[in-house]
Amino acid sequence: MIDIEYLKNRRTKLANLIDVPTVLWSGKSPSKNFRANHYPFRASSHFLYFAGLPLENAAIKLDNGNLDLFMDNPHPDSSLWHGEMPRREDIALQIGADNAYPMEVLKEQINEVATIPVQDVFTYTKQREILQRSLSINKELNQVDEQLIKAVISLRLTHDKIGLEEIKKAINVSVEAHKIGINSTKKSKTEAEVRAAMESYIISQNMTCAYNSIVTVNGEVLHNETYNNQLKSGDLLLADVGAETPLGWASDITRTWPVSGHFSSSQRDIYDIVLAAHDACIEGIKPGVEYRDIHLLGAKIIAEGLVNLGILKGDLEHLVDKDAHAIFFPHGLGHLLGLDVHDMEDLGDLAGYEEGRTRSERFGLGYLRLDRPLKGGMVVTIEPGFYQVPAILNNPKFQQKYQNDVNWEKLKQFSDVRGIRIEDDILVTETGAEILTKNLPTKAIDIEEMMS
Amino acid sequence: MIDIEYLKNRRTKLANLIDVPTVLWSGKSPSKNFRANHYPFRASSHFLYFAGLPLENAAIKLDNGNLDLFMDNPHPDSSLWHGEMPRREDIALQIGADNAYPMEVLKEQINEVATIPVQDVFTYTKQREILQRSLSINKELNQVDEQLIKAVISLRLTHDKIGLEEIKKAINVSVEAHKIGINSTKKSKTEAEVRAAMESYIISQNMTCAYNSIVTVNGEVLHNETYNNQLKSGDLLLADVGAETPLGWASDITRTWPVSGHFSSSQRDIYDIVLAAHDACIEGIKPGVEYRDIHLLGAKIIAEGLVNLGILKGDLEHLVDKDAHAIFFPHGLGHLLGLDVHDMEDLGDLAGYEEGRTRSERFGLGYLRLDRPLKGGMVVTIEPGFYQVPAILNNPKFQQKYQNDVNWEKLKQFSDVRGIRIEDDILVTETGAEILTKNLPTKAIDIEEMMS
């Protein structure tokens, strides 16, 4: 199931980039109600990248291309509850480990090693105990950890063949889930029913959701995680749903479609602007191009469309420079995709931002998650949107700043457009871009046809 | 949505049982990949019982029947990502709080308070920091905490009207999910597809799963959480799936049905034994009866059935006394049900076991989760089963001990029965028992009819 050669290749590449040994922990599933009722286990992505399998309560030591596995065998009683589980030696063979030891041996082998803090707080505490030093991404980053993190970023920024295959598997399932969501909407009464139809397909394929799904008629709430609303004819439904493979690789897709099966003319007008931005941004992707420039290209096309509709007014360059588009498109164009849906966001902006760059103070750029020149082998999302966010539109500060840039009266004609986003996953190739999510239609007319 | 009078009643009852103030934390959602990609939030059940709403990062102080709420208002920027969230004062009104303060005020108000440790490790660490003392259920239980825990157990052991209404809501959804699972099996090819059909209904009703579903043809793996197997005609499919309401109340149902729609005669023979035990145990439930005796009644009926089939041999009393039934029914008959699927299992055995009692060393009793006299208002599960667990049947120790009690040759005729469990949720009434899950058939013939 695992291609050991690719794993070994990753380990060798790491060894070429860092000269201290590395120890990575996998973490353990957090308790929900009590220890036996836990959340589903999700291994640390850095661990997964080099170990290949989601082993709970395990650690690996990477040194000069070799991998030593540290994990305890299942408790003798556990076979009653969990069946016969593979033993350490079997797993070592599966993942191409050079040595395998019980967990308690790890502390004897730790002496000046680099690591990355895990998300699971229980394991993070153990990690600090065993290393006897502080661990932090944001401040006082330890020097060897920094060296490791830079090396890991340089590897994980672009994907090898098995990584890409996994992402494609996740994408194929997500594409199907979105088709099912679109097809099931007319017979659904609530957001929850459409969400159920979509996630059901993901579950049926033995995958999980890469993130908490957004399925909402209130698309203007960017990270909406409630599903209580009734669907009403005239609503747009925004669905941001993506599958994750059993080995941990993510996909991330958003579509927005009309509950009735037909976009109103105001919805269609805005939809086509978002789509034009989406298409132009993808068209602009190739190695060497700055992602930030692609973001600004999207911003410009949205601003241009809104000027044409009469929602924004004035000089286009001037509008984009003062972030007038960001009233309606306040987030960044997209992010890295890989083992995490925002790949390596556990490292703060270290992965998303080229060394030496930091977040902009600008309203229209501050939420940008990716600011690097693109490279062949990267997978990024392109997800422009249009939203009428009450917290922005009703904010006196914004109202004043953009008083003369927005035709507030005209805007009222578009009150049935609360939120639209169109998001695809794009592989940067050696010469341009490949839309990995291309089997899911984006055009309004194609979506209407699917629903008819 | 929340019935404040019932919440206040719970707070008053607590005040009658404990004379020190209590502080309970709700916890926060653990990170999965990175902070923004977190597990769905699940509030601490003790917090939920008195506060009524699943508030993240909140605490309540209960003192003399009053409730003070401690939580911070949403960050100003959060309305962009999460929409307008209710503010502290609104929430205080909703849950009938007497006062509401920002979180930072809490530490000024903590002086000799009782508490219960939360599951979320991040909050648990904060809890210990702010209280400046150790917190543990298993050892060195602090005296005021012990007083609180005993008081909370005595309240939560039996359910008030709103608690019971919530449990029934969860049960109704689970019953429907099981019907869908049974109906969808013949057209499903994998365990994952049946799981998807069942969980899909739970999601569509805006509920979550109270625990990780078990949907498996390997029913002999008691806590199986993989769904990779193909369904084959001749397999039995065991599904242990239960919904949880948005306010946190659980349900817990298991059914076992034939993939083909028809039990083989060997499967039917064993199924009817498990069902006979199930029915007799429920019949035996009334206030004052020891749950342990109900468990032993179930054990006896299973042993008797297996003797009649020729799988066990010898004197019935003798077989049960030496735990011969436990070769095939190794777990306990059931557990408390409430806000947790194993209600209050975060308190170890303090809730499940009557004061002064501890787990038995006996093979047939050691896994019993509940050992108390039953009381009107309790909800318990009754879930006898029959399993051919390789870890037991192939264990030389057991083989030797039960050499002459099992007809090993005869057993081979039942090789198509890997695991059967039938689980219902039972309310102990003032005079007997009410099967809350009665809308889901248990009889083999009724299940076959549903599938035909």
Side-chain angles (χ1 to χ4, degrees):
Chain A
M1 181 168 176
I2 321 280
D3 189 326
I4 294 180
E5 288 317 306
Y6 275 89
L7 292 176
K8 290 198 168 172
N9 197 23
R10 291 175 186 167
R11 296 167 196 165
T12 306
K13 282 183 174 167
L14 183 72
N16 293 336
L17 293 168
I18 177 171
D19 47 18
V20 290
T22 292
V23 175
L24 295 171
W25 278 259
S26 66
K28 79 172 209 178
S29 61
S31 293
K32 205 166 65 169
N33 305 54
F34 47 87
R35 187 56 212 134
N37 194 8
H38 56 84
Y39 288 102
F41 175 61
R42 189 6 168 115
S44 150
S45 295
H46 304 297
F47 176 93
L48 276 175
Y49 188 75
F50 295 104
L53 276 185
L55 309 170
E56 193 163 358
N57 270 324
I60 51 175
K61 184 172 181 182
L62 297 157
D63 192 4
N64 209 14
N66 287 341
L67 181 144
D68 289 352
L69 171 67
F70 300 83
M71 70 179 287
D72 292 330
N73 277 322
H75 189 277
D77 288 356
S78 83
S79 52
L80 171 59
W81 300 95
H82 304 289
E84 289 301 331
M85 308 288 282
R87 298 176 62 79
R88 182 171 52 242
E89 286 67 26
D90 310 328
I91 292 170
L93 211 63
Q94 268 189 71
I95 67 172
D98 298 281
N99 297 289
Y101 306 101
M103 201 51 156
E104 62 170 14
V105 177
L106 179 60
K107 61 177 175 297
E108 298 161 17
Q109 304 229 357
I110 288 207
N111 189 17
E112 260 275 53
V113 299
T115 194
I116 302 177
V118 290
Q119 295 297 300
D120 162 46
V121 181
F122 178 85
T123 307
Y124 173 70
T125 308
K126 296 261 169 220
Q127 210 179 354
R128 289 207 306 187
E129 261 172 40
I130 199 167
L131 292 172
Q132 298 193 293
R133 60 179 172 87
S134 71
L135 277 178
S136 170
I137 292 299
N138 298 315
K139 43 188 180 185
E140 300 164 31
L141 186 55
N142 178 295
Q143 211 181 339
V144 289
D145 294 350
E146 189 175 359
Q147 202 190 339
L148 170 63
I149 285 170
K150 284 183 182 168
V152 168
I153 289 171
S154 81
L155 292 178
R156 287 185 55 192
L157 269 180
T158 58
H159 298 294
D160 55 21
K161 183 165 150 271
I162 50 168
L164 207 52
E165 278 173 6
E166 284 285 316
I167 292 173
K168 287 178 181 173
K169 280 184 209 166
I171 283 174
N172 289 341
V173 168
S174 302
V175 164
E176 205 54 43
H178 276 263
K179 287 182 181 170
I180 289 168
I182 293 168
N183 283 322
S184 70
T185 298
K186 276 164 83 172
K187 61 172 187 281
S188 297
K189 290 188 191 66
T190 61
E191 295 166 344
E193 288 176 33
V194 179
R195 176 194 178 206
M198 297 179 78
E199 292 192 1
S200 172
Y201 184 72
I202 294 172
I203 298 169
S204 79
Q205 300 306 299
N206 247 316
M207 292 197 186
T208 54
C209 289
Y211 50 93
N212 297 327
S213 301
I214 301 170
V215 181
T216 183
V217 293
N218 295 339
E220 78 280 9
V221 180
L222 299 184
H223 281 182
N224 204 335
E225 289 180 15
T226 60
Y227 318 93
N228 297 313
N229 291 306
Q230 300 283 317
L231 303 181
K232 294 192 300 291
S233 181
D235 283 339
L236 289 175
L237 186 66
L238 184 155
D240 188 343
V241 176
E244 175 178 300
T245 70
L247 298 183
W249 294 80
S251 59
D252 187 3
I253 300 180
T254 308
R255 287 294 183 273
T256 309
W257 59 84
V259 166
S260 68
H262 294 282
F263 289 91
S264 72
S265 67
S266 46
Q267 289 168 344
R268 176 69 178 262
D269 284 346
I270 305 279
Y271 188 92
D272 284 345
I273 292 172
V274 176
L275 184 59
H278 165 274
D279 291 350
C281 289
I282 293 172
E283 193 68 30
I285 287 181
K286 62 180 179 187
V289 169
E290 288 284 350
Y291 189 83
R292 178 193 166 108
D293 289 339
I294 303 283
H295 170 83
L296 288 169
L297 172 66
K300 191 177 150 194
I301 290 171
I302 287 170
E304 191 175 22
L306 296 179
V307 167
N308 292 340
L309 283 184
I311 293 174
L312 288 180
K313 50 192 183 176
D315 175 65
L316 187 58
E317 297 266 322
H318 175 71
L319 287 169
V320 173
D321 283 349
K322 75 183 286 198
D323 291 326
H325 63 276
I327 308 173
F328 303 106
F329 171 42
H331 62 70
L333 184 68
H335 49 79
L336 296 166
L337 181 72
L339 276 162
D340 308 306
V341 59
H342 299 166
D343 209 25
M344 297 181 275
E345 195 167 294
D346 64 311
L347 306 174
D349 280 336
L350 293 175
Y353 274 57
E354 181 83 351
E355 207 173 332
R357 298 184 189 174
T358 53
R359 294 268 178 148
S360 166
E361 296 285 310
R362 269 179 64 179
F363 170 44
L365 281 173
Y367 289 115
L368 192 59
R369 286 194 157 88
L370 178 56
D371 185 3
R372 280 185 175 274
L374 295 170
K375 251 176 96 170
M378 278 183 177
V379 177
V380 300
T381 67
I382 293 293
E383 46 178 313
F386 172 97
Y387 316 89
Q388 296 204 47
V389 182
I392 294 175
L393 298 177
N394 301 335
N395 182 331
K397 193 185 77 182
F398 290 118
Q399 284 174 340
Q400 202 176 347
K401 181 170 177 194
Y402 299 110
Q403 182 57 45
N404 300 318
D405 303 315
V406 177
N407 183 336
W408 301 93
E409 269 309 301
K410 185 76 186 177
L411 183 59
K412 288 181 186 159
Q413 294 173 16
F414 297 85
S415 63
D416 66 347
V417 189
R418 310 182 71 168
I420 290 174
R421 180 164 63 253
I422 307 170
E423 176 182 28
D424 278 311
D425 302 340
I426 316 295
L427 170 67
V428 184
T429 63
E430 292 311 317
T431 53
E434 181 189 342
I435 308 176
L436 301 177
T437 38
K438 61 179 172 293
N439 291 335
L440 188 64
T442 52
K443 287 204 183 86
I445 192 173
D446 293 334
I447 287 174
E448 285 182 340
E449 195 180 307
M450 277 185 77
M451 295 182 77
S452 70
Chain B
M1 184 167 176
I2 320 282
D3 189 326
I4 295 181
E5 287 317 306
Y6 274 89
L7 292 176
K8 290 196 169 174
N9 198 24
R10 291 175 187 168
R11 297 166 196 166
T12 307
K13 281 182 174 167
L14 182 71
N16 293 336
L17 293 168
I18 177 171
D19 47 17
V20 291
T22 293
V23 174
L24 295 172
W25 277 260
S26 67
K28 80 171 207 179
S29 61
S31 295
K32 204 166 62 169
N33 304 54
F34 46 87
R35 188 56 213 134
N37 194 8
H38 56 83
Y39 288 102
F41 176 59
R42 194 351 171 124
S44 150
S45 296
H46 303 296
F47 176 94
L48 277 175
Y49 188 76
F50 295 104
L53 277 184
L55 310 169
E56 193 165 358
N57 268 325
I60 51 175
K61 185 173 180 180
L62 296 158
D63 192 3
N64 209 15
N66 287 341
L67 181 145
D68 291 352
L69 172 67
F70 300 84
M71 68 180 286
D72 292 330
N73 277 322
H75 189 276
D77 288 355
S78 83
S79 51
L80 171 59
W81 300 95
H82 304 288
E84 289 301 330
M85 307 289 283
R87 297 175 63 78
R88 181 172 52 242
E89 286 67 26
D90 309 328
I91 291 170
L93 211 63
Q94 269 189 70
I95 67 171
D98 297 281
N99 297 289
Y101 306 102
M103 202 50 156
E104 62 171 12
V105 176
L106 179 60
K107 61 178 174 296
E108 299 161 17
Q109 303 229 0
I110 288 209
N111 190 17
E112 259 276 52
V113 299
T115 195
I116 302 176
V118 291
Q119 294 298 301
D120 162 45
V121 182
F122 178 85
T123 307
Y124 173 71
T125 309
K126 296 260 169 223
Q127 209 178 355
R128 291 207 305 187
E129 261 172 41
I130 200 167
L131 292 172
Q132 298 193 293
R133 59 179 170 86
S134 70
L135 277 177
S136 170
I137 291 299
N138 297 317
K139 42 187 181 187
E140 300 164 31
L141 185 55
N142 178 295
Q143 211 181 338
V144 290
D145 294 351
E146 188 175 0
Q147 202 190 338
L148 169 63
I149 284 170
K150 285 183 182 168
V152 168
I153 289 171
S154 81
L155 291 178
R156 287 184 56 191
L157 268 180
T158 60
H159 298 294
D160 56 21
K161 184 164 148 272
I162 48 168
L164 207 51
E165 278 173 8
E166 284 284 316
I167 292 173
K168 286 178 182 174
K169 280 184 207 165
I171 283 174
N172 289 341
V173 168
S174 302
V175 163
E176 205 54 45
H178 276 263
K179 285 182 182 171
I180 289 167
I182 293 168
N183 282 323
S184 70
T185 299
K186 276 164 81 174
K187 60 174 187 281
S188 298
K189 289 187 194 66
T190 61
E191 294 166 345
E193 289 177 31
V194 178
R195 176 194 178 206
M198 297 180 77
E199 292 192 3
S200 172
Y201 184 74
I202 294 171
I203 298 169
S204 80
Q205 300 305 298
N206 247 316
M207 293 197 185
T208 54
C209 290
Y211 50 94
N212 297 327
S213 301
I214 301 169
V215 181
T216 183
V217 293
N218 294 339
E220 78 280 9
V221 180
L222 299 184
H223 281 182
N224 203 334
E225 289 180 16
T226 60
Y227 318 93
N228 298 311
N229 290 307
Q230 300 283 317
L231 302 182
K232 294 191 301 289
S233 180
D235 282 340
L236 289 175
L237 186 67
L238 185 155
D240 188 343
V241 176
E244 175 178 299
T245 70
L247 299 183
W249 295 80
S251 58
D252 188 2
I253 301 180
T254 308
R255 289 292 184 273
T256 309
W257 59 84
V259 166
S260 67
H262 294 282
F263 290 91
S264 72
S265 67
S266 46
Q267 290 168 342
R268 176 70 178 261
D269 284 345
I270 303 278
Y271 188 92
D272 285 344
I273 291 172
V274 176
L275 183 60
H278 165 276
D279 291 351
C281 288
I282 294 173
E283 192 69 30
I285 287 180
K286 62 180 179 188
V289 169
E290 289 285 349
Y291 189 82
R292 177 193 166 107
D293 289 339
I294 303 284
H295 170 83
L296 288 170
L297 172 65
K300 191 178 148 193
I301 291 171
I302 287 171
E304 191 175 20
L306 296 180
V307 167
N308 291 341
L309 283 185
I311 293 174
L312 288 181
K313 51 192 182 177
D315 176 64
L316 186 59
E317 296 266 322
H318 175 70
L319 287 168
V320 174
D321 284 348
K322 76 181 284 198
D323 291 326
H325 62 278
I327 308 173
F328 303 106
F329 171 43
H331 62 71
L333 184 69
H335 49 78
L336 295 166
L337 181 72
L339 277 161
D340 308 305
V341 59
H342 299 166
D343 210 24
M344 298 181 274
E345 194 168 295
D346 64 311
L347 305 175
D349 281 335
L350 292 175
Y353 274 57
E354 181 84 350
E355 208 174 331
R357 298 183 190 175
T358 53
R359 295 267 177 149
S360 165
E361 298 285 311
R362 268 179 64 179
F363 170 44
L365 281 172
Y367 290 115
L368 192 59
R369 286 192 158 89
L370 178 56
D371 185 2
R372 279 185 176 275
L374 295 169
K375 252 175 96 169
M378 279 183 177
V379 176
V380 299
T381 66
I382 293 293
E383 47 178 312
F386 172 96
Y387 316 89
Q388 296 203 48
V389 182
I392 294 175
L393 297 177
N394 301 335
N395 183 329
K397 193 184 78 181
F398 289 119
Q399 284 174 341
Q400 200 176 349
K401 182 170 177 192
Y402 299 110
Q403 181 58 44
N404 300 319
D405 303 315
V406 177
N407 183 337
W408 301 93
E409 269 308 302
K410 185 77 186 174
L411 182 61
K412 288 181 185 160
Q413 295 173 17
F414 297 86
S415 62
D416 66 348
V417 189
R418 311 183 68 168
I420 290 173
R421 181 163 64 252
I422 308 170
E423 176 182 27
D424 277 311
D425 302 339
I426 315 293
L427 170 66
V428 184
T429 63
E430 291 311 317
T431 53
E434 182 189 340
I435 308 176
L436 300 177
T437 39
K438 62 178 172 291
N439 290 333
L440 188 64
T442 52
K443 288 205 183 84
I445 192 172
D446 293 336
I447 288 174
E448 286 183 339
E449 195 180 308
M450 278 184 78
M451 295 183 76
S452 71

